[in-house]
Amino acid sequence: MDVEELEGLSARELHDRAVRYAVRHGDLGFLWRLLKAIPAAEAASGDREETANDLSRVSALLSDAMAAGEGRLGEALRPVYIAYLAEHPDA
């Protein structure tokens, strides 16, 4: 679809299409951008309480990621870290 056709879709149709495509193709970059954009979009739409809730959830996920090198979780994630570091030898 071209941009003009996309402009004619509802927000729900755009969401479903974009998220379905990102999940199917493993596009975590898009999903992360979406997660980062949601709190600002909620604030812009006037939903301040939900903005605070979302920021808290994103903060918790980031905290989990930062501590994911310890204990059994860290051991379970070893293959992920090894694969990533093998792709980025200068890390």
Side-chain angles (χ1 to χ4, degrees):
M1 295 183 92
D2 64 23
V3 174
E4 191 171 305
E5 291 172 309
L6 291 171
E7 291 286 350
L9 297 177
S10 71
R12 170 51 75 184
E13 291 170 314
L14 291 169
H15 166 272
D16 291 352
R17 254 181 111 90
V19 170
R20 186 173 35 249
Y21 183 88
V23 168
R24 188 173 42 237
H25 291 90
D27 189 350
L28 297 179
F30 170 76
L31 296 171
W32 181 245
R33 285 193 309 276
L34 180 60
L35 285 174
K36 290 191 311 184
I38 288 171
E42 285 176 336
S45 69
D47 195 349
R48 303 254 181 233
E49 185 175 326
E50 191 59 30
T51 299
N53 290 338
D54 283 346
L55 288 173
S56 178
R57 286 191 295 255
V58 169
S59 176
L61 286 172
L62 289 173
S63 179
D64 286 351
M66 296 307 291
E70 300 173 14
R72 293 186 309 193
L73 177 58
E75 289 301 317
L77 291 170
R78 281 179 56 79
V80 174
Y81 300 139
I82 291 168
Y84 181 76
L85 292 171
E87 292 174 18
H88 301 89
D90 58 330

